[in-house]
Amino acid sequence: MKRVLSLAYPIDDTVEINGEKYELDMSFDNVIRLIDMLNDDELDDITKIEIGLYMLLSVELDYDIEKKAKIFKEIFEKVILEGEKAEPALDIQGNPMPEKKEKVIYSLKEDAEYIYASFMQDYGIDLIEEQGKLHWYKFKALLSGLRNDTHFKEILNIRTMELPKGKGMEKERRRIMELKEIYKLKDQSD
């Protein structure tokens, strides 16, 4: 069964590995730390797999690294990503999986203050108080449902805004380009 947020069924955070069931830690802050760890260039792939599995399962699995890599990839793709475009992940040979194809317009790390403020503004939810409690699926649903007048959504709008064309639009183009520069992600170059 595909794992998604459903209003008809409870969220199932268990995963079965070789006949044993494990409870996953799917709190939004744990998943964000996991994604952050996967993007850490100072860690090798084996360490990322070992740490990633421990972060999700809170137990050490007694398998060889290839099996652990397969388990981690399956959990990451089927449970965390749910078919979305992935932030960088890895396989045992160090190859990225899956590849990023679309331009990233936000970063959970770089945009943390904007996301926090927008959750407070729109929902009255203090994300710091919700660490360890708010489920990743609920977080994603709330993030995508933020109103357009929240600071986070306004920044996304700036990042994706087309520059106006035509005569007399030079001042507006310059203003938008300045805003794009202010709010651009560090890892992106235009």
Side-chain angles (χ1 to χ4, degrees):
M1 182 170 116
K2 187 175 179 190
R3 296 170 183 263
V4 292
L5 184 63
S6 169
L7 299 178
Y9 300 99
I11 296 173
D12 181 12
D13 284 340
T14 60
V15 63
E16 189 172 318
I17 303 169
N18 286 345
E20 280 196 60
K21 287 193 176 203
Y22 297 92
E23 187 76 23
L24 296 170
D25 180 352
M26 291 294 293
S27 59
F28 82 96
D29 50 304
N30 189 52
V31 175
I32 292 172
R33 281 191 301 274
L34 174 69
I35 293 168
D36 194 33
M37 185 269 305
L38 290 174
N39 288 312
D40 187 340
D41 294 334
E42 294 182 18
L43 297 175
D44 63 70
D45 293 348
I46 292 172
T47 303
K48 289 178 182 182
I49 291 165
E50 297 278 357
I51 292 172
L53 281 172
Y54 191 79
M55 289 175 75
L56 291 169
L57 303 172
S58 299
V59 296
E60 291 187 29
L61 298 176
D62 190 26
Y63 300 119
D64 62 42
I65 194 62
E66 287 83 13
K67 177 123 174 130
K68 287 180 182 180
K70 183 179 175 188
I71 292 168
F72 180 72
K73 179 182 181 207
E74 188 170 328
I75 292 172
F76 195 80
E77 289 178 352
K78 290 184 179 176
V79 179
I80 295 172
L81 294 180
E82 298 179 86
E84 292 180 11
K85 299 286 184 237
E87 295 213 22
L90 50 118
D91 66 13
I92 191 64
Q93 288 80 30
N95 301 315
M97 58 174 212
E99 291 181 31
K100 281 197 217 178
K101 292 187 169 87
E102 295 180 4
K103 183 177 179 182
V104 176
I105 61 169
Y106 72 91
S107 162
L108 294 171
K109 185 175 183 177
E110 288 182 50
D111 293 326
E113 289 181 20
Y114 309 133
I115 294 169
Y116 175 85
S118 295
F119 268 63
M120 283 295 286
Q121 175 188 348
D122 214 2
Y123 306 123
I125 295 174
D126 184 332
L127 287 175
I128 304 303
E129 295 296 321
E130 290 299 314
Q131 289 178 347
K133 299 182 230 172
L134 182 63
H135 196 279
W136 173 244
Y137 296 168
K138 294 177 183 179
F139 171 81
K140 288 189 338 180
L142 292 168
L143 183 65
S144 68
L146 286 168
R147 290 189 327 251
N148 287 331
D149 67 342
T150 60
H151 196 47
F152 177 66
K153 286 288 186 121
E154 288 171 350
I155 289 169
L156 295 185
N157 186 40
I158 290 166
R159 288 178 183 158
T160 59
M161 189 178 295
E162 301 253 343
L163 294 176
K165 298 175 183 169
K167 269 190 163 183
M169 299 302 291
E170 294 83 10
K171 187 175 180 180
E172 181 65 6
R173 258 193 310 277
R174 197 169 31 257
R175 183 186 79 78
I176 292 170
M177 286 172 52
E178 287 172 4
L179 286 171
K180 283 181 175 284
E181 184 62 29
I182 290 168
Y183 292 115
K184 87 174 181 186
L185 296 171
K186 292 175 188 155
D187 294 339
Q188 298 216 334
S189 55
D190 292 326

